[in-house]
Amino acid sequence: MTRLWNEPADFANEMVDGFIRANTKWVRKTSGGVARSTRSESPEVAVVIGGGSGHYPAFAGLVGPGLAHGAAMGNLFASPSARQVESVIQATHQGRGVLLSYGNYAGDVMHFSTAQNAARAAGIECRSVVVTDDIFSAPPTHKEKRRGIAGDLTVFKVAGAAAAAGHDLDNVERVALLANERTRTMGVAFSGCTLPGASEPLFSVPEGRMAIGLGIHGEPGLEETDVPTANELSELFVERLLAEAEIPDGVTPQGARVVPVLNGLGSVKNEELFVLFSRIAELLETAGITIVDPQVGEFCTSFDMAGVSLTLFWLNDELEELWNAPANTPAFRTGSAHSGSLIAAEDENAAVADDAIAEASVASQTAAARITTMLSAMSNLVAENADELGRLDSVAGDGDHGIGMQRGVNAAAAAAAKAAERGAGAQTLLNRAADEWSDRAGGTSGALWGVILKSIGEHLGDTAEITAGSVSAGVSAASDAVMAYGGAAVGDKTLVDALVPFATSLHERVAAGDSLAAAWAEAARLATHATERTSDMMPGLGRARSHGEKSLGTPDPGAVSLSLIVTMLGAQLADA
Amino acid sequence: MTRLWNEPADFANEMVDGFIRANTKWVRKTSGGVARSTRSESPEVAVVIGGGSGHYPAFAGLVGPGLAHGAAMGNLFASPSARQVESVIQATHQGRGVLLSYGNYAGDVMHFSTAQNAARAAGIECRSVVVTDDIFSAPPTHKEKRRGIAGDLTVFKVAGAAAAAGHDLDNVERVALLANERTRTMGVAFSGCTLPGASEPLFSVPEGRMAIGLGIHGEPGLEETDVPTANELSELFVERLLAEAEIPDGVTPQGARVVPVLNGLGSVKNEELFVLFSRIAELLETAGITIVDPQVGEFCTSFDMAGVSLTLFWLNDELEELWNAPANTPAFRTGSAHSGSLIAAEDENAAVADDAIAEASVASQTAAARITTMLSAMSNLVAENADELGRLDSVAGDGDHGIGMQRGVNAAAAAAAKAAERGAGAQTLLNRAADEWSDRAGGTSGALWGVILKSIGEHLGDTAEITAGSVSAGVSAASDAVMAYGGAAVGDKTLVDALVPFATSLHERVAAGDSLAAAWAEAARLATHATERTSDMMPGLGRARSHGEKSLGTPDPGAVSLSLIVTMLGAQLADA
């Protein structure tokens, strides 16, 4: 939903004002919209685009050298008036004629046509290219009835590049028509959008469903399905856009060169678009298509509508040259001052992974096998408790402690198993497991568990017999290292609150002559007790302050996972 | 919420794969993240940035000439591991040292510090600049504890530009520290975000409320208020960021030069950002600050979190030169190949508005006054019915018919009043009203009402007596013109369905000798009747097809507003 406005009626005007203030490098205000704030030395055919507002960067974000000369900016989702278009024509024409280009909507067609007639009557040569890229808005037999959506970009870019290259109006019109003929788009939507001040969404899609072909103003689609996986959506896009009826005349997909434009409508974010694009690129390549200069981002939006479209722009040599020509606008910049002086880079310093396994004693290999079993049990334990750990973390953190622990311990267990197979001793195995845990879990807890495993490994070595003394010394070293590394002390409501009493007790009991199993069980009991006490603590300095009160009554998730793990391992030691 | 993924556990890897496939011009895959795919002729200090994923374009979107040399890419909202950072250092260093820069989060600090130690141990000179721009995460007395958010951009950009200019590691570190010291950000949030596959949002903000200072992973804010107006939010941002304690040492706001970065977190869209920026720019200028190269868009996001932040980057000469240096990355491009050959443009062809009022007879002036009263009554009528018209339109259109009609008729009434004051006759007055209606309403209905008013005006003239015959001829001409212009016929479920019977009946009755009032009343009755019948019609070709069934049972909103208007005017004529 749109949240920020003053008077809804003023929204469009204030938006235009802010857009211009933010982009004086490229645009100046003109009656009815914006025009470039610069012009090239030789006069050009003027390319005037436009449409309703609410689709940024369409249309005003595409005004600048190498692209459009001006944009008529209508009210929200409403076409600009004929007078607005006329004013932008007047402000931009340079005596070489004007190309109007816009999406195929009834209101836009009316107003732009009226403006074209008026401009012609005033002696300005004027042509129009109406964009019709949306394959779902009419069948292939009625391509001229199709709406214009994100494919606007390719038509405008080609027209702007031709104008910048000094082409005459005939040629600018010809290449724009050719670009439109070779541009096809398919869109889907998951939710609608609410205009400033409106109490209801302009249109909506049921939760968990996807509308296929829904237009950028909520015009209805063709079908509705459940939201598919990312790969399924990529496959749907490519399948429909490579259907025989959608391949432009004279084009064979095998060997063709295509610019894909993967467009987010507002709330589908870049990360999701990249996941989609990973599969789309694969599918296009499998079809024998060469991908040229792919575009992934927002090119034609509907406020914060959750939707996505894929455009395929089928190049020929002429169109490719025009597409690649430099352009520099508020929202579309291509062709760099840098390109001359750069050379392709390779991974010259690529580190060669040190994969050798240090020699180990049979005793240490036996201990390593036992540690592998323990890590595997830890992995099961964390999986069972992941939801609860996430819940605890969501009170005072970002809720991903369970997920992070799972990723880490699973990776550590797998690495340990691999190292054990290759005959690693305890230290080498714990080192590998520590690296993987830290690497895959990321975040703070991953780093700390990496430190714990590494510290213990250093005290076990690859050749020595494992004794209660070496284990307790390793745990003490781990406790010290975690405090030094993480900067937390006892009482800060972190895993240190469980680790320190555990390590201290283990050390004391072992020194007093207890067996490892007995000492461990008692230490685990104390760790659990200390973990419960973290419920009464306020988070330490390292944590965001105002979560303090909120997290009172909840134990620290890092301490909880540590005490769960040492308790379970205690039971294993007792059984052995 | 995040909607598109395959296996949640694979999301980050697939995202990285798609990002690289979409941006091979700039980046190549390296163990742990990405590195530039090109390098400059002379070796540079390598700038390595990074952090968790989910914040695109932070961090990988900022890798390219003039900015970062590589980015370590952690899992979703989790810091990259030390090993990942180390690998990116290895892949990017060019023998002149490495600057690590990242936001101040515990996990990132741990892993980057470990990587720095490892790199130093391997003989690579390495320094770190931790970004701390978020003014709400710690008081000014503990600036070093603050989190890093969208202000990352200014620190990375300055470091990258210094590296590109050939500076040594000391100097790159110095300017990055200076940039961090002169960068302050304040953020607010309206909603949280849901990670791929999660059943619950990672964090949330109550509907209609705004969290001040909420972090980019949902770390708690300082206060919560109702969602303010756009202007109030702009004022809050500027007030807090211009508080004395937040002005960097040695800076006086009056006369200072500042880069503002207005950042959308995901679902606050460009249009809203521009509305905010309109007021922010005004406020900064009022404070005597010169705005340099403003940035409005997405620079550090949290998936589709609805939030916005404002960063002020306080320049000095050195920082300004570095900020303005060219950069060319997937998501940040500045400095154009074009800039040499462009000249400032002015509105050379600016049309001089033809504001002269044609001479009019007293009779026509009297009629014009009466038409003005009628337009004003129409304006009231439409206001009373705007909600209902919007509701009808939402069944088969985009729901803005009521809003569009209101904008149009209000503007027309105001223009008529102005023209009447200046002595305009009926035609001139109706022309002005028509232009304003079409201009302000936009869309299809604006264009058609413009045509109606203009057509009637042509038949009334500025000097002739107004007769029943001239009115009915004008209405008939309007009916013909609307059909020609809009391309709709009777039965297409448009305003034509009411206008044609109205015009036909008016013409017949007047020709048969009825008074204008009597003929009009009867014609209005028929128009209303015809409007009711549109409930049984399917929309014509010009409308989106599958709305057909949906809108059965609902009359056409354009026909409804027309019949309401002619009925009301009929009552006025009868009273006169």
Side-chain angles (χ1 to χ4, degrees):
Chain A
M1 58 184 294
T2 309
R3 291 175 180 81
L4 294 169
W5 66 84
N6 296 301
E7 288 300 319
D10 298 336
F11 188 91
N13 284 339
E14 292 174 351
M15 184 266 292
V16 173
D17 182 67
F19 168 71
I20 293 168
R21 281 174 179 272
N23 293 290
T24 49
K25 228 189 253 185
W26 297 276
V27 297
R28 64 192 159 91
K29 189 171 177 53
T30 182
S31 169
V34 293
R36 284 191 202 168
S37 57
T38 59
R39 62 180 174 78
S40 45
E41 278 164 4
S42 325
E44 296 175 6
V45 169
V47 175
V48 170
I49 62 176
S53 295
H55 305 301
Y56 193 86
F59 297 89
L62 302 176
V63 173
L67 233 157
H69 294 75
M73 300 171 75
N75 217 307
L76 301 180
F77 289 4
S79 78
S81 71
R83 207 157 58 156
Q84 286 185 282
V85 178
E86 250 184 272
S87 299
V88 177
I89 293 173
Q90 286 290 349
T92 55
H93 85 88
Q94 301 172 19
R96 296 197 58 199
V98 175
L99 184 81
L100 302 177
S101 193
Y102 52 91
N104 187 27
Y105 297 91
D108 292 290
V109 172
M110 280 185 201
H111 290 291
F112 274 87
S113 300
T114 305
Q116 172 169 282
N117 292 339
R120 285 176 177 168
I124 301 169
E125 213 185 340
C126 202
R127 312 270 174 84
S128 293
V129 173
V130 183
V131 182
T132 55
D133 57 316
D134 179 4
I135 65 166
F136 271 97
S137 50
T141 47
H142 288 82
K143 282 206 295 278
E144 74 290 352
K145 288 193 200 293
R146 289 178 169 178
R147 301 181 293 233
I149 50 177
D152 277 353
L153 175 68
T154 65
V155 179
F156 300 163
K157 171 67 175 72
V158 161
H167 291 203
D168 63 16
L169 183 56
D170 281 346
N171 257 313
V172 173
E173 181 192 23
R174 180 182 58 79
V175 294
L177 286 168
L178 184 62
N180 183 54
E181 163 57 25
R182 284 170 164 253
T183 299
R184 298 287 194 287
T185 302
M186 165 174 174
V188 299
F190 310 102
S191 81
C193 62
T194 305
L195 293 188
S199 55
E200 296 278 314
L202 198 55
F203 53 94
S204 60
V205 181
E207 187 61 39
R209 301 282 286 172
M210 176 175 88
I212 300 178
L214 188 100
I216 56 174
H217 314 95
E219 302 93 341
L222 204 66
E223 305 162 25
E224 202 186 275
T225 66
D226 285 342
V227 174
T229 66
N231 282 351
E232 285 165 358
L233 180 55
S234 296
E235 285 150 20
L236 180 69
F237 275 147
V238 173
E239 184 197 316
R240 299 288 179 108
L241 288 169
L242 294 189
E244 208 183 317
E246 300 305 343
I247 308 298
D249 290 345
V251 171
T252 313
Q254 177 76 38
R257 296 174 67 80
V258 163
V259 177
V261 180
L262 185 62
N263 173 56
L265 274 290
S267 286
V268 170
K269 300 315 302 174
N270 287 288
E271 286 82 359
E272 294 171 279
L273 295 177
F274 290 133
V275 169
L276 287 176
F277 189 70
S278 168
R279 181 77 181 133
I280 289 169
E282 216 169 69
L283 291 167
L284 293 177
E285 282 162 7
T286 304
I289 291 168
T290 301
I291 295 173
V292 177
D293 191 31
Q295 304 290 320
V296 178
E298 294 184 347
F299 304 95
C300 181
T301 62
S302 287
F303 280 102
D304 63 343
M305 167 172 164
V308 54
S309 67
L310 176 65
T311 300
L312 297 186
F313 176 35
W314 299 85
L315 299 170
N316 66 10
D317 290 349
E318 183 179 30
L319 293 175
E320 184 162 350
E321 195 184 325
L322 293 167
W323 175 263
N324 286 329
N328 184 7
T329 80
F332 193 86
R333 299 172 204 162
T334 189
S336 157
H338 272 285
S339 43
S341 63
L342 293 170
I343 45 186
E346 276 164 38
D347 213 337
E348 293 151 280
N349 310 306
V352 179
D354 178 11
D355 198 35
I357 295 281
E359 209 163 320
S361 69
V362 173
S364 192
Q365 286 175 332
T366 309
R370 183 122 183 239
I371 296 168
T372 303
T373 311
M374 288 175 155
L375 280 165
S376 160
M378 283 165 64
S379 168
N380 294 335
L381 180 75
V382 169
E384 282 158 25
N385 290 280
D387 285 352
E388 173 63 9
L389 293 172
R391 196 192 61 77
L392 293 176
D393 190 37
S394 69
V395 178
D398 59 10
D400 68 354
H401 181 67
I403 300 170
M405 283 292 288
Q406 249 186 303
R407 277 201 305 256
V409 73
N410 289 351
K418 214 163 124 191
E421 260 176 41
R422 298 178 59 200
Q427 178 170 9
T428 297
L429 179 134
L430 278 166
N431 256 334
R432 299 285 162 107
D435 277 345
E436 281 297 314
W437 192 320
S438 164
D439 205 22
R440 295 301 305 262
T444 313
S445 82
L448 297 182
W449 275 94
V451 165
I452 292 173
L453 266 50
K454 242 178 211 174
S455 302
I456 296 174
E458 275 166 27
H459 282 260
L460 301 186
D462 278 335
T463 53
E465 286 284 337
I466 311 296
T467 65
S470 62
V471 171
S472 86
V475 170
S476 291
S479 171
D480 293 347
V482 161
M483 279 196 286
Y485 192 65
V490 171
D492 281 352
K493 195 163 189 161
T494 69
L495 118 177
V496 164
D497 289 323
L499 181 57
V500 167
F502 177 76
T504 309
S505 165
L506 186 68
H507 175 72
E508 285 169 8
R509 292 284 174 149
V510 167
D514 281 9
S515 73
L516 180 61
W520 189 288
E522 172 60 12
R525 206 184 55 74
L526 289 176
T528 304
H529 190 59
T531 296
E532 284 159 12
R533 283 204 310 266
T534 62
S535 291
D536 305 327
M537 294 176 186
M538 298 277 273
L541 277 179
R543 304 283 181 102
R545 288 155 301 134
S546 34
H547 265 155
E549 261 179 71
K550 200 175 152 205
S551 76
L552 267 180
T554 308
D556 179 69
V560 170
S561 47
L562 187 118
S563 60
L564 285 173
I565 286 170
V566 294
T567 303
M568 182 275 292
L569 294 179
Q572 282 212 352
L573 288 168
D575 288 347
Chain B
M1 59 184 296
T2 308
R3 290 177 181 82
L4 294 169
W5 67 84
N6 296 302
E7 288 301 318
D10 297 336
F11 188 90
N13 285 339
E14 292 175 350
M15 186 265 291
V16 172
D17 182 67
F19 167 71
I20 293 168
R21 281 173 179 272
N23 293 290
T24 48
K25 228 189 254 186
W26 296 276
V27 297
R28 64 193 157 91
K29 188 169 178 55
T30 183
S31 171
V34 293
R36 285 192 201 166
S37 57
T38 59
R39 61 180 174 78
S40 45
E41 279 164 4
S42 324
E44 296 175 6
V45 169
V47 176
V48 170
I49 61 176
S53 295
H55 305 301
Y56 193 86
F59 298 88
L62 302 176
V63 173
L67 234 156
H69 295 74
M73 301 172 75
N75 218 306
L76 301 180
F77 289 5
S79 79
S81 71
R83 208 158 56 157
Q84 286 185 283
V85 178
E86 251 184 272
S87 298
V88 177
I89 293 173
Q90 286 290 351
T92 56
H93 85 89
Q94 301 172 20
R96 297 197 58 198
V98 175
L99 184 81
L100 301 178
S101 192
Y102 52 92
N104 187 28
Y105 297 91
D108 292 290
V109 172
M110 282 184 200
H111 289 290
F112 274 88
S113 301
T114 304
Q116 172 170 282
N117 292 339
R120 285 177 178 169
I124 301 170
E125 211 184 342
C126 201
R127 312 272 174 81
S128 292
V129 173
V130 183
V131 182
T132 56
D133 58 314
D134 180 5
I135 66 166
F136 271 96
S137 51
T141 47
H142 289 80
K143 281 206 295 278
E144 75 289 353
K145 288 193 198 294
R146 289 178 170 178
R147 301 182 292 235
I149 50 176
D152 277 352
L153 175 68
T154 66
V155 179
F156 300 162
K157 172 66 175 74
V158 160
H167 291 205
D168 62 16
L169 183 56
D170 282 346
N171 256 314
V172 173
E173 182 190 22
R174 180 182 59 78
V175 294
L177 286 167
L178 183 63
N180 183 52
E181 163 57 27
R182 284 171 165 252
T183 299
R184 298 287 195 287
T185 301
M186 164 174 176
V188 299
F190 310 102
S191 81
C193 63
T194 305
L195 294 188
S199 55
E200 297 277 314
L202 200 54
F203 52 94
S204 60
V205 181
E207 187 60 41
R209 301 283 286 173
M210 176 176 87
I212 300 179
L214 188 101
I216 56 173
H217 314 95
E219 301 94 341
L222 205 67
E223 305 163 24
E224 201 186 277
T225 65
D226 284 342
V227 174
T229 66
N231 282 350
E232 286 164 358
L233 179 56
S234 296
E235 285 149 21
L236 180 70
F237 275 146
V238 173
E239 186 197 313
R240 300 289 179 106
L241 288 170
L242 294 188
E244 209 181 317
E246 299 305 342
I247 308 298
D249 290 346
V251 171
T252 313
Q254 177 77 38
R257 296 173 67 79
V258 163
V259 177
V261 180
L262 185 62
N263 173 55
L265 272 290
S267 286
V268 170
K269 300 316 301 176
N270 287 289
E271 286 81 0
E272 294 170 278
L273 295 177
F274 290 133
V275 168
L276 287 175
F277 190 71
S278 169
R279 180 79 181 133
I280 289 168
E282 215 170 70
L283 292 167
L284 293 177
E285 282 162 7
T286 304
I289 290 167
T290 301
I291 294 172
V292 177
D293 190 30
Q295 303 291 321
V296 178
E298 294 183 347
F299 304 96
C300 182
T301 61
S302 287
F303 278 102
D304 63 341
M305 167 172 164
V308 53
S309 67
L310 178 64
T311 300
L312 297 186
F313 176 36
W314 300 84
L315 299 171
N316 66 10
D317 289 349
E318 183 180 29
L319 293 175
E320 185 162 349
E321 196 184 323
L322 292 167
W323 175 263
N324 286 329
N328 184 8
T329 79
F332 193 86
R333 300 172 203 164
T334 188
S336 158
H338 272 286
S339 43
S341 64
L342 293 169
I343 46 186
E346 277 165 36
D347 213 337
E348 294 150 281
N349 310 307
V352 178
D354 178 11
D355 198 37
I357 296 281
E359 209 162 321
S361 69
V362 173
S364 192
Q365 286 174 330
T366 310
R370 183 121 182 242
I371 295 169
T372 304
T373 312
M374 287 174 156
L375 280 165
S376 160
M378 283 164 63
S379 168
N380 294 336
L381 180 74
V382 169
E384 284 159 24
N385 291 279
D387 285 351
E388 174 63 9
L389 293 172
R391 196 192 60 77
L392 293 177
D393 190 36
S394 69
V395 178
D398 58 11
D400 69 353
H401 181 68
I403 300 170
M405 283 292 290
Q406 249 186 303
R407 278 201 305 256
V409 72
N410 289 351
K418 213 164 125 192
E421 260 177 41
R422 298 179 59 201
Q427 179 170 10
T428 298
L429 179 134
L430 278 165
N431 257 333
R432 300 284 162 106
D435 277 346
E436 281 295 315
W437 191 319
S438 164
D439 206 22
R440 295 302 304 263
T444 314
S445 82
L448 296 182
W449 276 94
V451 166
I452 292 173
L453 266 52
K454 240 176 213 177
S455 302
I456 296 174
E458 274 166 27
H459 282 261
L460 300 186
D462 278 333
T463 52
E465 287 284 338
I466 310 295
T467 64
S470 62
V471 171
S472 86
V475 171
S476 292
S479 170
D480 293 346
V482 162
M483 279 196 287
Y485 192 65
V490 171
D492 281 351
K493 193 161 188 164
T494 70
L495 119 178
V496 164
D497 289 323
L499 181 57
V500 168
F502 177 75
T504 309
S505 165
L506 186 68
H507 175 74
E508 285 170 7
R509 290 286 175 148
V510 167
D514 282 10
S515 73
L516 181 61
W520 189 287
E522 172 60 12
R525 206 183 56 74
L526 290 177
T528 305
H529 190 60
T531 296
E532 285 159 11
R533 282 203 310 266
T534 62
S535 292
D536 305 326
M537 293 175 187
M538 298 277 273
L541 277 179
R543 304 283 181 101
R545 289 155 299 135
S546 33
H547 265 154
E549 262 179 69
K550 198 174 154 206
S551 77
L552 266 181
T554 308
D556 178 70
V560 170
S561 47
L562 187 118
S563 60
L564 284 172
I565 287 170
V566 294
T567 303
M568 183 275 292
L569 293 178
Q572 281 212 354
L573 287 169
D575 288 349

